[in-house]
Amino acid sequence: MRWRALLLSAVVLLLAAAALLLPVKESVRAALGWMASHRESSGLAFIGLYVLATVCMVPGILLTVAAGAIFGLVRGVVLVSVASVLGASAAFFVGRTLARGWTERRIAAWPKFRALDGALAARGFWIVLLTRLSPLFPFNLLNYAYGATAVRPRDYITGSWLGMLPATVLYVYAGSAAASLAQALAGGALAGRTAALLLVLGLAATVAVVVLVTRLARAQLEHELAA
């Protein structure tokens, strides 16, 4: 167990150093350009980039959409799902160790999150799942905030993975659809119109499902806040 703790500490320190020393946004743009030219072999590089961006609190939506355009729907969802959980977990442990003081100060000025803090020990998985599904809480700050609470790591990780999955599918699908539409339009007007119709219908259906899930989660989360 001790070697695992040492390994985790080393990873956290490397991520924190990278967040302080690297020009992250510029590096993200350059890296995505390289991945688009090496899509068959750049999956692990994408995961590493996503984890670093998450720890540095760079919004993940652009990376998620880019994954769909570069890797396609299925592979993009798998890569983003793995990367987002690893990134959220890394930020969680940074918030629990190196950045705990900063995290606790941010939570103190965040009334909605403080209202949920007392329920995390008993219903950690449920609360994490709802906050991931609901737009009431910003994703990047939430990663650090949970690190300063009593939530168990396994509840945080599983709740985060399931809660982030609907939005992951939506944004990856959007990126994949945009890339597929561009290819279809290049193949001819008729093929382009047919492909565009199918892609729009599929995207609309995906959006409808995600919006429904989000609304249900928000209503339940507001009930938890009221309680």
Side-chain angles (χ1 to χ4, degrees), residues 152-167:
R152 292 177 296 182
R154 69 179 185 186
D155 290 338
Y156 169 80
I157 292 171
T158 53
S160 294
W161 173 63
L162 290 174
M164 294 186 293
L165 198 54

Side-chain angles (χ1 to χ4, degrees), residues 53-188:
T54 302
V55 172
C56 297
M57 301 185 73
V58 175
I61 183 172
L62 295 179
L63 282 172
T64 306
V65 173
I70 295 172
F71 302 109
L73 178 59
V74 176
R75 190 179 177 205
V77 167
V78 171
L79 288 174
V80 172
S81 186
V82 171
S84 60
V85 170
L86 289 177
S89 300
F92 171 84
F93 286 110
V94 170
R96 182 156 284 189
T97 54
L98 298 176
R100 189 176 185 91
W102 174 85
T103 303
E104 289 176 340
R105 288 192 297 273
R106 294 303 296 267
I107 292 176
W110 198 1
K112 285 184 178 179
F113 190 82
R114 289 205 319 270
L116 293 174
D117 194 7
L120 284 169
R123 303 195 304 279
F125 169 80
W126 178 241
I127 299 298
V128 173
L129 177 64
L130 290 176
T131 53
R132 291 303 191 185
L133 289 171
S134 171
L136 288 175
F137 295 90
F139 171 82
N140 287 323
L141 183 56
L142 204 58
N143 296 331
Y144 285 91
Y146 275 122
T149 68
V151 66
R152 292 177 296 182
R154 69 179 185 186
D155 290 338
Y156 169 80
I157 292 171
T158 53
S160 294
W161 173 63
L162 290 174
M164 294 186 293
L165 198 54
T168 294
V169 173
L170 173 61
Y171 293 130
V172 172
Y173 185 92
S176 175
S180 298
L181 180 58
Q183 293 175 357
L185 290 174

Side-chain angles (χ1 to χ4, degrees), residues 185-201:
L185 290 174
L190 180 59
R193 285 195 295 270
T194 303
L197 178 60
L198 293 174
L199 290 171
V200 168
L201 289 175

